[in-house]
Amino acid sequence: MKTKKMWLMLSLVAILVLSACGQSGGDGTEGTPDNGSENGGATSSIGEQVKHEIIGIDPGAGIMKATAAAIEEYELTDWTLIEGSGAAMTATLDKAIKNEEPIIITGWTPHWMFAKYDLKYLDDPKNVFGEAEEIHTVVRLGLQEDHPEAYQFLSNFKWTDADMGEIMTAIQEGEDPEAAAKAWADNNTAKVDEWIEGVQPVDGKNFKFSYVAWDSEIASTNLLKVIMEEKLGFKVDALQVEAGPMWTGVANGDVDATVAAWLPLTHADYWDKFKDQVEDLGANMEGVKTGLVVPAYVEATSIEDLK
Ligand code: PBE
């Protein structure tokens, strides 16, 4: 009688334990986030975990158009691209990583976030985000006649992802953008001297750049402002605007130049619209990239996995 009761209780306990395991999907014990991709219906999909949201930036950015195209091309029908800003995106990313939660963002290189966090691009087998992207210097028509010194300097300006990374990281760590740019210029005189070689300094001429508050472009624009003011005698205005006005300003001649034109793909729409009203001085940086980016702990490896 006693043994029978014990057996009954033991089997009851066993049943309870087993059913509890079944409900939790049998994972979640290692303190790692639940990226569920292989357990079919047992765990939620990456889409469900991030509420089918991709964290975007400002609506005028080329990467937003590319992401909208990716949603179409990869048939991510129930996905939404969230508008915001570069700063809001990195704040959301930071929070997700601190909580070890999955997140999908619109990302690009160069960017300090790749140095600060362990991130990866999702493969883009359909090449929606393009290949061999570059950052170009685009100037207003007539700049060569009006500002031959600036024209020559801007034609010489060419640097690398690593160079820009140094300024970006300093700014991200709290330094004032202009001070960070000045420190970089002081520590990289060989490069700066190459860009200003043979350029005749001027006496307080005004010069205007347009740029968007993307971290990469904050770094480049501040660097050129500092060099043109300190080494070439210009009085430089760096106009922070949205992507549309950044291009329109150069096209209608209100602005002298921008070093923030991502081509051939990211700003293809702006280029098609304004190419006859601007002059392209070519790439100031090669090998840049845009795409969908996730923390390394997210299991998905391709945009196709989002379906
Ligand atoms: N970006 C950074 C910009 C260009 C520079 C990739 C966010 C864009 O998408 O337009």
Side-chain angles (χ1 to χ4, degrees), residues 34-50:
D34 177 9
N35 304 316
S37 61
E38 279 139 37
N39 293 350
T43 50
S44 57
S45 69
I46 176 70
E48 283 163 352
Q49 291 167 52
V50 301

Side-chain angles (χ1 to χ4, degrees), residues 64-74 128:
M64 296 295 278
K65 280 172 208 147
T67 304
I71 287 174
E72 283 265 308
E73 294 270 326
Y74 290 93
V128 177

Side-chain angles (χ1 to χ4, degrees), residues 139-141 246-255 274 277-278:
V139 304
R140 70 170 168 87
L141 296 180
M246 175 181 99
W247 276 90
T248 314
V250 181
N252 67 23
D254 285 347
V255 167
F274 297 120
Q277 303 164 58
V278 300

Side-chain angles (χ1 to χ4, degrees), residues 57 60-64 108 214 216-217 260 262 266-267 290:
I57 56 170
I63 205 173
M64 296 295 278
W108 66 97
W214 299 314
S216 37
E217 281 50 42
W262 283 51
T266 313
H267 292 169
T290 71

